[in-house]
Amino acid sequence: MNTGRDEDALRWDGDDDPTLDVGTRTAGADPTPDASGHDAASGEDAPPLALPDGFTAVGKDSDTVGHIEADGTVVMPGDKAPLSSPMLITLGILAGVYLLFTIGWIVGGLRLQGTAQFLVSPVGYQVALWLAVAAPALWFVTAYALTRSSKSWVRIVWLLAGLVVLVPWPFIMVGAVGTVAR
């Protein structure tokens, strides 16, 4: 009696497990997913094509192959990688300084209001004051939005340039720092 030992090398134990069935493709069906990642042959979403560190895709459609990060997340070519922790901390500190600059423009501008209205019309002064108050927030949002596709150091340079340009001089000269004790 043949025990089938000759065929043992041709199969794995559990090959007939129905939970491992990945489906069959019909003849002539395209096995590759379309641009949206949808597998037309099986009607299911196909996993994105990605390679781990050290591997580079070459050939046709190599620009659509993603990259597998060390933590297992898949980053596709069009995806933007999340900001690093030091960059998030730096942006938080800069955003806080810009908020302090906004408060400095409010306090310094309101302290100069009575004096400056001798030189400028009240309406002109109010317009200039609220533009100065809005300037730090506008600079931060604009620099952040326009440098999204740039390197991180370019974003930091533009944000630091804004800190130099937007110093709240009325607060420094007349505010808490520039007051004379009587």
Side-chain angles (χ1 to χ4, degrees):
M1 172 136 220
N2 189 358
T3 60
R5 295 190 54 82
D6 292 337
E7 293 183 13
D8 282 348
L10 301 177
R11 49 180 255 124
W12 289 91
D13 191 29
D15 276 346
D16 54 350
D17 187 1
T19 60
L20 297 177
D21 187 21
V22 293
T24 58
R25 298 191 186 272
T26 58
D30 184 16
T32 59
D34 60 5
S36 66
H38 185 74
D39 190 357
S42 68
E44 299 175 0
D45 286 339
L49 299 174
L51 295 174
D53 282 335
F55 291 91
T56 304
V58 294
K60 182 180 176 187
D61 294 331
S62 62
D63 56 345
T64 62
V65 176
H67 176 74
I68 299 174
E69 295 290 327
D71 62 355
T73 58
V74 176
V75 178
M76 296 309 288
D79 294 346
K80 215 33 197 155
L83 293 174
S84 65
S85 295
M87 185 63 176
L88 284 174
I89 292 170
T90 303
L91 285 176
I93 291 170
L94 289 174
V97 173
Y98 274 95
L99 179 63
L100 289 175
F101 275 19
T102 301
I103 294 169
W105 277 107
I106 292 172
V107 171
L110 291 177
R111 285 198 175 176
L112 280 180
Q113 188 171 7
T115 307
Q117 287 182 352
F118 288 117
L119 303 173
V120 183
S121 72
V123 173
Y125 183 77
Q126 288 297 319
V127 169
L129 171 67
W130 295 112
L131 284 175
V133 167
L138 289 174
W139 187 288
F140 185 84
V141 170
T142 302
Y144 188 83
L146 292 179
T147 58
R148 283 187 355 199
S149 61
S150 301
K151 299 214 180 266
S152 297
W153 69 268
V154 174
R155 177 178 293 161
I156 297 299
V157 165
W158 278 106
L159 290 173
L160 290 175
L163 291 180
V164 171
V165 170
L166 298 171
V167 173
W169 288 110
F171 178 75
I172 292 173
M173 301 305 284
V174 178
V177 176
T179 57
V180 177
R182 294 181 187 192

